[in-house]
Amino acid sequence: MHTFYVPPSHISANIAVITDAEHHHLRNVRRITPGETVRIIDGQGNVYTGEVCDTGTKNASSEVRMLSHEFHPRVPPSMTLFQGLPKNDKMALILQKTTEIGVTQIVPLHTEYALQKPSQNRYQRWHRVVISATKQCQRAWLPELCDPQTFQASLTQLDHFSLRLLLNPASNQASHTQHIREVLRKTPQATTIALFVGPEGGFSDTEATIAIEKGCTPVTLGTNILRTETAAIVAVAAITYEYQL
């Protein structure tokens, strides 16, 4: 059964209206016809099974009549990935894989070593990547992709998190740096987690120092130095494993 994302604003009176890229995917890619059954998610925990009743032969939308509904509550802890912007389109891979693994929110960061300033078109493409990955892994909740922000702005949000992790290859040899596994097992009751991953080159010494002073715990994934996209994926996977998400 194929899955389609429909925002809550497009669901009412037991009818879901599928528009834009999802409509194109239903009609022109999957070539679904009226009478077929599909799965609908609204990204807010609601999962529907519905019957396609109109594929938009006269307009640019499809309509699905709801047949059943389930609600899937969030499973704590929530996890926010603060990701330093990498070069090229590595961010798309990070978004895809961390969404599949279970991240709750992704915040692209402008840092000292960040290598791109995403255009609006690229940001919209990233949003489509998140939607596609959410459908592929059959998640009920759509991770929130936030607007890019500065590293300094991200530090003002730290009070919202019960555990704050700073992944920084430059600090791997520091005596105060712990393996991420050790930190996670010391804090089994964490309800909100902030994970900071730098771009190529990691965070600058100044950024790392300020983050630690603000309450971040410096962590490592081991002795190997990983690419930023690999580090983000491995770190999110380690958190979901330890908390059995």
Side-chain angles (χ1 to χ4, degrees):
M1 185 185 305
H2 297 299
T3 300
F4 297 91
Y5 165 70
V6 180
S9 60
H10 289 188
I11 300 175
S12 62
N14 294 322
I15 295 292
V17 179
I18 303 176
T19 61
D20 301 327
E22 290 294 274
H23 166 66
H24 170 76
H25 190 69
L26 180 146
R27 183 180 177 184
N28 301 318
V29 179
R30 293 300 182 183
R31 297 186 181 278
I32 290 174
T33 57
E36 292 190 50
T37 302
V38 296
R39 180 175 179 266
I40 299 291
I41 61 171
D42 70 350
Q44 300 296 312
N46 295 293
V47 179
Y48 305 89
T49 299
E51 178 185 353
V52 177
C53 50
D54 181 8
T55 57
T57 55
K58 296 182 180 180
N59 51 56
S61 64
S62 304
E63 291 188 356
V64 177
R65 180 171 59 86
M66 303 306 193
L67 302 175
S68 66
H69 167 247
E70 294 180 353
F71 178 74
H72 299 257
R74 284 191 185 274
V75 178
S78 65
M79 182 186 354
T80 296
L81 170 63
F82 291 91
Q83 174 66 50
L85 285 162
K87 63 182 179 180
N88 301 324
D89 207 20
K90 293 180 180 180
M91 191 68 179
L93 176 64
I94 294 171
L95 293 170
Q96 180 188 61
K97 298 308 178 185
T98 58
T99 293
E100 291 178 16
I101 297 168
V103 75
T104 308
Q105 184 182 57
I106 306 108
V107 183
L109 286 184
H110 295 293
T111 67
E112 187 172 335
Y113 299 149
L115 297 174
Q116 70 163 302
K117 293 184 178 180
S119 64
Q120 186 61 30
N121 286 341
R122 176 160 289 191
Y123 180 80
Q124 290 173 353
R125 178 177 179 272
W126 288 350
H127 185 62
R128 292 195 296 269
V129 169
V130 171
I131 291 174
S132 178
T134 301
K135 295 192 301 178
Q136 187 277 326
C137 65
Q138 297 194 8
R139 289 183 60 172
W141 288 85
L142 185 73
E144 179 185 5
L145 175 59
C146 299
D147 291 332
Q149 61 183 238
T150 65
F151 182 75
Q152 291 73 18
S154 70
L155 297 181
T156 66
Q157 304 167 39
L158 290 180
D159 288 344
H160 300 301
F161 299 95
S162 57
L163 180 61
R164 309 137 191 160
L165 305 175
L166 178 75
L167 194 63
N168 185 20
S171 67
N172 283 356
Q173 304 302 320
S175 59
H176 58 274
T177 300
Q178 305 173 69
H179 194 283
I180 191 171
R181 178 187 61 245
E182 298 174 4
V183 176
L184 294 174
R185 293 183 178 179
K186 289 177 183 177
T187 52
Q189 303 302 318
T191 57
T192 50
I193 300 172
L195 171 65
F196 286 81
V197 179
E200 291 88 349
F203 295 111
S204 69
D205 291 341
T206 299
E207 288 170 334
T209 298
I210 294 174
I212 293 170
E213 289 175 350
K214 294 288 187 179
C216 287
T217 301
V219 295
T220 176
L221 295 171
T223 56
N224 293 349
I225 302 299
L226 305 180
R227 294 178 183 272
T228 181
E229 65 271 28
T230 307
I233 294 167
V234 172
V236 171
I239 293 170
T240 58
Y241 173 80
E242 289 296 331
Y243 288 102
Q244 301 181 23
L245 295 176

